Amino acid sequence: MAAVNFPSVQWFEEIRNLVNGDPEFKKLGTCDATMGIKVSDTGKMLLLTFEAFECTGVREATQADLDASDFYLEMEMAAWKDMLTNIKKNGAADLNHTLNTIDMARPTQLAQAKDEYRRDLFYRFNQTFQDFFNASAKIETAF
Amino acid sequence: MAEEAAAEATAPVELPPGLIEKALAKGWTEALVRRGLQAGMMVQQIHQALDSGMTAEQAEQSLPQEGQKLEFKLDMGWTKGTSEWGIRAKPTRKGLTLSAINIGTYGDIPDVWENQTEMPRGASPIAGVQSMGYSVSQKADLWSDSAADLYEEAIQRRWRPSLDVQWNTLQPLPDDVERAMCQICTELSEYALLTLDTLGKWLKELSYGYHEVKMFLATQIYDASHQFEVFRKRALANGGGLGMQSPGIFGRHIADARDWTEVTVLLHLMQGSFLQTLYSYGEFFAHNEAEKAIFRYCLQDVTRHIAYGVDHIRFFLHKRPERQRELSQYLSLGELAAAADWEKDVPLREALAIVLAGGKDKINEGFMRVNAFRSRQIEEYLRHVRAARLGDRRDQLPPALAAYVAQPATV
C-alpha cells in the first residue's frame, strides 16, 4: 500500500472512504458538524463535513473557512505526527493520545472555535471524531 | 338486496357437531342456535356466547328475529377529524425523523397549548376527556428549536454500559487511587439519580403540545439511568465499592425549583457544565480503556443536555426578555448552593486530588490540579451562560467561585 501524505485532501479522502464503508462507524450514530484541520507551523488547512452517518466532504480551506466551521483542530506538525504514529502503532489512540486527552494536555486547546458554543460539538460527537482518526491505523501515512 | 338477505336468513344451515350439545346443556334450544347461524353469526361466535354464560333469554333478545340478518352499520364520523389527509412525510438521510414529520399544519407549534389531555398535537379533540393537569402549556416556557433533533441524536447515539465499555481492561489500581475513583463514581451516580427524579417529576407538568421536548427529556432520563448504572458498575468492578454520599445541597436546590426554566438554568446549564468538565477530566486521567469509554460517552450525553438548556433559555429570553433578571437570580442562588456543596464536599475534593495526581503521596500537586479543575468548571459554566445570552457573570460570581476563576485554567 502506497503511503499517503498527511495533511492532504487525499489522506482525508482515504479515511473518509474507510469510515463511510464501515458499519461500526454508522453504529456510533448521527453526527452533523463541520470540523477544520490546521497544521499551525505549515499553515495547511482543510475542512471536513460530517452529515448524518457519514463524512460527506473534505476540501482545502482558508482561515475564514475554519472560523466559520463548528470547530477546528490545531496542532503543530510534530504533534499531529505523534498522534497519528501512536494510532498506527496501537491500532487506535492509546490512553495518552485521544483527542480529548490531547485537548486537555496542551497549553492551547486542540479544539478551537470562533463561536465558543459551537465548540461543544467537539464533545458531543467525540467518539465519532476519535474513531475517524483511529481509522488512519489502516493506511500508510507519510509526513 | 333485501330479498337476497331474507333468503339467506331462512336458508338451511348445517349444525356442527358439539355445538348443539353444548347449547342444549346451557339451556338454549336448537332453534335458537339455528337462528343465530342463519342470521350470519359464525360458529365460533356462538361458542363464545355460550362460554361467556349468555342465557337463552339473553340470546332470544339479542339475536335478529327469524328471517333477518345481522347488520353492521359504519358511522365513519371519526374520519372527519383527520387533518391534512394524504400527507406523506419523506425519510431524510437520518431516516424518518421527528423533524421530517413536522410538515404542513403538523409542523405548526402553537404559542399556547390549551388542551389539558394527552391528545397528540394534530389530532381532533373530543368533549368530556378528563384533564391531566399540565401546568406548563406555553411554548416560551419549555421550547427549544433543537429538541426534535436532539431527541433523534440521543436515540441514534445510544450506548450500552454493559457491552460498549471494555470492562476487561480494568486493572488493579493502588488502594488510594481505587478508593478515590470509587468516591468520584459514587457521587456521579448520585447526581444521575437527582436528574432522574427531577425530570421524572417535571415531565408530567409539561404539555403534550410540545411532544418534541417531552421526548427529548425522556432520553435524558434514559441517559441518567445509564450514568447511574455505569458509575455504580465502575465502583463495584475493580475491587473497590461505593464511597460516601455527597452533601446534596446543590441537588436539593435543583429539586426544589418551582419553574421549569429555573430547572433548566440549574440542571442543564450549571450542573451540566460542571459535569462536562468532570467527564472531560475523567477521560484525560482515565487509567484504562474502560474508563476512557465511560467518560467519553458521558461527555457526549451531557453536552447534548446542555444544548437543550442553552437553546431553551435563548428561546425563553427571546419571548420573555423582561424575565432576564429573574433568571440571573436563579443563577446567583444556584451558584451559592453549588459553592456550599463544593466547600462541604471534602470526600470529592480529596478523591479528585488523589486521582489527578496519581496518588496521595503527591497530594500537593493533586490539590493544585483540583484548583485548575474547578477553575475550568466555572469557566465552562460561564461560557454556557454567555451562550444562553444571559450575559457575562464573571463579576457577579460569589467569592467562593470567583476565587477559582483567577486560577490558571491548565491541568
Side-chain angles (χ1 to χ4, degrees):
Chain A
M1 186 190 290
V4 187
N5 281 325
F6 176 90
S8 64
V9 168
Q10 190 192 353
W11 190 89
F12 281 102
E13 284 287 359
E14 293 274 343
I15 306 298
R16 188 169 87 88
N17 290 333
L18 279 172
V19 298
N20 288 354
D22 182 0
E24 291 301 313
F25 189 76
K26 287 186 170 57
K27 278 188 191 170
L28 295 174
T30 54
C31 169
D32 292 295
T34 51
M35 175 175 76
I37 303 292
K38 182 172 182 179
V39 182
S40 52
D41 45 355
T42 68
K44 183 79 173 177
M45 287 175 271
L46 297 112
L47 187 70
L48 282 73
T49 304
F50 292 83
E51 289 177 84
F53 300 95
E54 296 181 323
C55 175
T56 53
V58 181
R59 65 174 174 84
E60 301 269 358
T62 64
Q63 185 61 48
D65 292 327
L66 299 197
D67 288 344
S69 70
D70 289 316
F71 65 92
Y72 58 97
L73 306 180
E74 179 175 2
M75 291 194 286
E76 58 281 9
M77 190 62 182
W80 281 108
K81 186 176 179 182
D82 180 49
M83 182 183 90
L84 295 173
T85 305
N86 177 269
I87 287 171
K88 181 69 181 172
K89 184 180 163 194
N90 298 294
D94 72 4
L95 299 184
N96 298 315
H97 289 84
T98 63
L99 295 173
N100 179 70
T101 292
I102 295 170
D103 184 64
M104 294 286 289
R106 289 174 62 82
T108 54
Q109 292 177 317
L110 166 65
Q112 306 277 329
K114 198 80 170 172
D115 180 330
E116 58 181 2
Y117 177 47
R118 285 164 64 197
R119 184 185 182 277
D120 267 359
L121 297 191
F122 172 68
Y123 297 131
R124 217 163 103 190
F125 304 119
N126 197 269
Q127 189 69 55
T128 295
F129 304 133
Q130 188 61 61
D131 280 19
F132 182 85
F133 281 102
N134 283 350
S136 70
K138 295 176 182 163
I139 66 169
E140 295 299 325
T141 301
F143 297 95
Chain B
M1 290 291 284
E3 285 172 6
E4 281 176 23
E8 275 179 35
T10 53
V13 292
E14 191 177 333
L15 297 175
L19 182 60
I20 288 298
E21 289 80 356
K22 185 192 272 188
L24 294 175
K26 301 228 177 208
W28 289 31
T29 63
E30 186 179 319
L32 203 50
V33 175
R34 193 180 298 280
R35 199 171 113 200
L37 291 172
Q38 284 176 328
M41 287 180 76
M42 291 181 289
V43 172
Q44 187 59 30
Q45 285 176 301
I46 296 180
H47 271 296
Q48 283 172 351
L50 289 165
D51 292 343
S52 68
M54 182 184 275
T55 64
E57 289 72 25
Q58 289 168 329
E60 185 67 48
Q61 289 171 10
S62 61
L63 285 174
Q65 291 305 307
E66 203 159 335
Q68 292 181 352
K69 292 282 284 182
L70 281 172
E71 281 187 40
F72 295 99
K73 289 183 179 166
L74 285 173
D75 172 61
M76 296 300 284
W78 51 273
T79 60
K80 296 189 179 86
T82 309
S83 57
E84 298 211 46
W85 182 250
I87 208 158
R88 287 184 201 281
K90 292 194 168 51
T92 68
R93 298 174 72 141
K94 298 177 189 172
L96 189 58
T97 62
L98 267 188
S99 294
I101 61 170
N102 273 351
I103 50 177
T105 56
Y106 293 103
D108 294 340
I109 319 292
D111 287 338
V112 182
W113 187 252
E114 304 280 8
N115 191 290
Q116 278 288 309
T117 73
E118 285 151 331
M119 183 189 77
R121 194 177 70 226
S124 300
I126 58 172
V129 179
Q130 294 178 359
S131 167
M132 297 299 287
Y134 298 111
S135 64
V136 182
S137 54
Q138 298 206 33
K139 186 179 179 183
D141 295 330
L142 78 167
W143 187 249
S144 152
D145 284 333
S146 61
D149 292 338
L150 290 171
Y151 166 78
E152 294 287 352
E153 187 180 308
I155 295 296
Q156 297 283 1
R157 296 186 73 82
R158 65 191 184 277
W159 55 286
R160 301 161 300 175
S162 53
L163 297 172
D164 294 331
V165 173
Q166 297 163 270
W167 293 106
N168 59 358
T169 64
L170 289 177
Q171 294 290 327
L173 295 171
D175 191 60
D176 55 340
V177 178
E178 181 62 29
R179 283 181 186 279
M181 276 303 293
C182 287
Q183 179 58 39
I184 294 168
C185 289
T186 302
E187 298 213 21
L188 286 174
S189 64
E190 191 179 329
Y191 301 158
L193 291 180
L194 170 85
T195 301
L196 231 158
D197 282 353
T198 303
L199 294 180
K201 186 178 93 173
W202 275 93
L203 263 186
K204 68 182 176 63
E205 300 293 332
L206 310 181
S207 163
Y208 263 106
Y210 312 103
H211 60 255
E212 294 89 343
V213 172
K214 290 183 72 115
M215 291 169 75
F216 167 70
L217 294 173
T219 68
Q220 193 180 347
I221 289 178
Y222 179 73
D223 293 341
S225 299
H226 269 164
Q227 191 186 323
F228 173 77
E229 173 193 353
V230 83
F231 288 114
R232 187 174 180 85
K233 284 179 174 173
R234 168 59 192 88
L236 301 181
N238 204 30
L242 294 179
M244 293 182 74
Q245 71 172 126
S246 80
I249 300 166
F250 185 47
R252 179 58 187 264
H253 188 75
I254 296 172
D256 284 347
R258 303 293 293 270
D259 177 281
W260 172 247
T261 302
E262 180 187 1
V263 174
T264 300
V265 160
L266 298 171
L267 186 70
H268 293 103
L269 220 57
M270 196 177 292
Q271 172 91 320
S273 300
F274 292 165
L275 284 176
Q276 187 186 54
T277 305
L278 189 42
Y279 294 151
S280 188
Y281 263 71
E283 202 269 358
F284 181 34
F285 285 96
H287 305 95
N288 45 62
E289 291 297 337
E291 290 174 5
K292 280 273 176 195
I294 290 169
F295 285 110
R296 196 154 55 224
Y297 283 128
C298 287
L299 178 63
Q300 294 190 144
D301 290 348
V302 78
T303 308
R304 191 167 57 246
H305 307 155
I306 293 170
Y308 165 75
V310 168
D311 287 354
H312 166 57
I313 293 165
R314 284 178 174 181
F315 186 80
F316 179 88
L317 289 174
H318 175 67
K319 294 289 183 184
R320 305 193 192 285
E322 74 282 1
R323 290 181 65 182
Q324 172 131 11
R325 280 188 67 184
E326 177 191 330
L327 297 199
S328 293
Q329 282 278 34
Y330 295 145
L331 290 173
S332 295
L333 295 170
E335 287 159 3
L336 288 171
D341 219 43
W342 177 255
E343 183 63 28
K344 201 169 179 182
D345 202 348
V346 176
L348 180 64
R349 283 187 281 126
E350 291 192 352
L352 281 169
I354 291 168
V355 168
L356 298 186
K360 63 183 179 186
D361 54 323
K362 293 176 274 186
I363 200 63
N364 285 343
E365 181 187 339
F367 276 115
M368 294 283 283
R369 286 183 163 175
V370 169
N371 287 345
F373 159 79
R374 188 62 171 163
S375 170
R376 184 152 173 162
Q377 267 192 327
I378 294 161
E379 289 290 354
E380 290 294 292
Y381 158 64
L382 292 172
R383 178 169 72 84
H384 289 123
V385 168
R386 287 193 298 272
R389 297 177 185 143
L390 280 163
D392 190 347
R393 292 187 57 77
R394 190 173 298 270
D395 296 333
Q396 298 168 62
L397 290 172
L401 295 189
Y404 287 100
V405 177
Q407 299 282 336
T410 57
V411 292

